Amino acid sequence: MSKERARRRAEREVAQAAEAERRTAAAEREARRDVRRERLTGWLPSSTPAPGRQRGALAEKRRRQVLATLALLVVVNLLLFAVARDPALSGLLLVASVLGAPIVHMMMFRRT
């Protein structure tokens, strides 16, 4: 009987050692994967909001307004760039649109 118990204990120990080795190998693969992912995506902004970023409804409304203003200015600049053949005029229009962006934003989203 004791020989049978010793044999089963030896089998369990072999199985436990194999399982521990498998877990160690999996942990090493996961660590290498995490390092590789961080190396590839470390320069990207994280998907979680920044600690200082406002998360409320008013902040979201303001972000939408700013994005709408920027989208309008990009479209206008692209159209003007397509029409204007002079590079100096295109540059002047680009500078004017950047300087006039706050005015355009105010005119689009005026509080009454």
Side-chain angles (χ1 to χ4, degrees):
M1 188 76 152
S2 66
K3 288 183 184 181
E4 180 65 24
R5 274 188 283 176
R7 186 184 57 80
R8 280 189 261 157
R9 183 175 54 237
E11 289 174 359
R12 276 195 313 269
E13 288 173 354
V14 167
Q16 287 173 351
E19 179 66 22
E21 188 175 320
R22 187 193 63 76
R23 281 195 306 264
T24 303
E28 288 174 359
R29 278 194 310 272
E30 186 174 340
R32 285 192 306 267
R33 186 192 68 207
D34 290 343
V35 167
R36 192 171 44 247
R37 178 183 290 151
E38 180 61 31
R39 206 177 316 138
L40 289 173
T41 61
W43 56 275
L44 291 174
S46 66
S47 60
T48 59
R53 183 174 177 181
Q54 297 292 319
R55 295 179 187 96
L58 292 177
E60 185 62 35
K61 179 182 175 183
R62 177 156 172 79
R63 277 192 291 275
R64 277 195 317 268
Q65 289 177 352
V66 168
L67 284 175
T69 303
L70 290 176
L72 176 71
L73 290 174
V74 166
V75 168
V76 167
N77 277 306
L78 287 175
L79 289 174
L80 290 174
F81 182 74
V83 172
R85 298 289 179 214
D86 186 21
L89 180 61
S90 296
L92 179 66
L93 293 174
L94 180 65
V95 170
S97 68
V98 169
L99 293 175
I103 297 169
V104 171
H105 183 77
M106 181 189 67
M107 290 173 64
M108 287 174 58
F109 302 106
R110 181 180 306 171
R111 295 182 190 154
T112 55

